[in-house]
């Protein structure tokens, strides 16, 4: 079994070195990564299946944390990281979560249950954190303005959604004449915004588990109100999925993978 090479730790922002530009200003440069292995990636992607039965084998905590660290490296909107992952390990809470997942086999047999949460209430704090975490010196004005002015304007919906509504009207009017970013203009659209980035992180998590020899099943068959109560989630948190994870049992997959003809989904225009 592959184990994480090093204990999980926060990734640092310092990867490359500053290089000179024409104007004499230093510009960040990150070297092109060493050769990657497409076959290894393909093996991970192709062997991932939704597993409905797991063995009793636990997932070592360092492996699970390494997979979660990889989840947190997912691309995300404006680097606002609108996600949270809850490892539900307290026996009583886990039991309640299995029940809230309607006692599905995947949930019942999972070594680990991870609740994937999308947050629409953290973007202001995380915008400030982007400025605090800015590597190496002065934050460029463009970046500062983006996080202090544009982000609050783009994502705030105002009391009773009035600001969102107004932004929608103005944007649609100006949008007749030039390209405009169309939203989010309501709480529902803001939720979609958070769920997009969070789901990418969830996929990273499932692929990382596979890469370490473990398996997963994403589940939306659960009682969201009950799970939110169990975790005491704040308003502005929604749950795109619960991920069951563990070691695949021999009878863990119910049927061969079915995908339709790519011509139905892939278009060249
Ligand atoms: C958002 C989402 C919700 C899902 N919910 C459930 C679920 O509640 N229970 C379950 O057994 N599988 C669930 N699945 C797994 C899908 O059924 C599965 O991904 C699909 O049938 C394709 O199979 P594969 O993942 O093995 O390729 C879910 C998948 C996604 C992406």
């Amino acid at each position: 079994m592959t184990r994480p090479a090093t204990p999980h730790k926060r990734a640092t922002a310092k990867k490359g070195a500053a290089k000179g530009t024409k104007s004499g200003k230093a510009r960040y440069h990150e070297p092109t990564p060493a050769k990657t292995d497409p076959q290894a990636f393909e093996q991970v992607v192709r062997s991932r299946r939704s597993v409905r039965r797991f063995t009793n084998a636990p997932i070592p905590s360092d492996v699970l944390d390494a997979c979660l660290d990889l989840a947190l490296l997912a691309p995300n909107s404006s680097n606002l990281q609108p996600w949270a992952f809850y490892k539900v390990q307290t026996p009583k809470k886990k039991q309640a979560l299995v029940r809230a997942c309607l006692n599905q086999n995947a949930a019942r047999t999972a070594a680990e249950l991870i609740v994937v949460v999308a947050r629409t209430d953290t973007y202001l704090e995380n915008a400030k954190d982007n400025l605090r975490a800015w590597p190496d010196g002065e934050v460029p004005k463009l970046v500062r303005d983006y996080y202090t002015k544009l982000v609050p304007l783009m994502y705030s919906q105002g009391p009773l959604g009035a600001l969102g509504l107004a932004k929608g009207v103005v944007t649609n009017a100006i949008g007749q004449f030039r390209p405009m970013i169309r939203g989010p203009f309501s709480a529902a659209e803001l939720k979609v915004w958070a769920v997009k980035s969070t789901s990418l992180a969830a996929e990273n998590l499932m692929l990382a588990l596979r890469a370490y020899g473990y398996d997963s099943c994403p589940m939306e068959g659960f009682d969201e109100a009950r799970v939110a109560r169990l975790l005491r989630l704040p308003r502005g948190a929604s749950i795109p999925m619960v991920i069951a994870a563990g070691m695949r049992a021999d009878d863990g997959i119910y049927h061969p993978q079915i995908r339709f003809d790519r011509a139905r989904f892939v278009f060249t225009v």
Side-chain angles (χ1 to χ4, degrees), residues 245-265:
M247 182 67 76
R248 183 184 304 204
D250 274 348
D251 58 352
I253 296 192
Y254 291 173
H255 54 75
Q257 195 169 39
I258 301 165
R259 288 296 187 270
F260 310 134
D261 189 351
R262 82 195 292 272
R264 285 176 58 176
F265 305 112

Side-chain angles (χ1 to χ4, degrees), residues 116-161:
V116 178
V117 175
R119 305 276 310 250
T120 57
D121 58 338
T122 54
Y123 65 86
L124 287 176
E125 193 52 37
N126 292 359
K128 283 186 206 149
D129 276 344
N130 267 290
L131 298 176
R132 288 187 200 113
W134 192 258
D136 300 332
E138 189 81 352
V139 181
K141 184 177 175 336
L142 208 71
V143 175
R144 182 167 292 285
D145 285 350
Y146 186 80
Y147 284 118
T148 55
K149 295 179 184 158
L150 206 63
V151 161
L153 179 68
M154 274 199 305
Y155 301 119
S156 303
Q157 304 304 321
L160 299 172

Side-chain angles (χ1 to χ4, degrees), residues 16-50:
K19 262 196 164 180
T21 61
K22 264 190 199 161
S23 64
K25 251 189 175 175
R27 179 187 286 161
Y28 178 70
H29 171 258
E30 192 164 306
T32 306
K35 202 170 178 309
T36 49
D37 185 347
Q39 270 106 28
F41 179 69
E42 183 162 346
Q43 191 202 3
V44 168
V45 172
R46 287 196 183 277
S47 63
R48 184 216 59 81
R49 292 296 315 279
S50 290

Side-chain angles (χ1 to χ4, degrees), residues 170-180 182:
V170 173
T171 301
N172 286 336
I174 303 175
Q176 306 284 328
F177 307 102
R178 64 178 175 90
M180 298 285 289
R182 311 274 178 151

Side-chain angles (χ1 to χ4, degrees), residues 48-52 101 104 106 206 216-222 240-242 253-259:
R48 184 216 59 81
R49 292 296 315 279
S50 290
V51 168
R52 274 59 181 242
C101 291
Q104 295 192 42
M206 291 186 279
S216 61
C217 183
M219 297 179 291
E220 63 187 352
F222 61 88
M241 68 194 90
V242 177
I253 296 192
Y254 291 173
H255 54 75
Q257 195 169 39
I258 301 165
R259 288 296 187 270

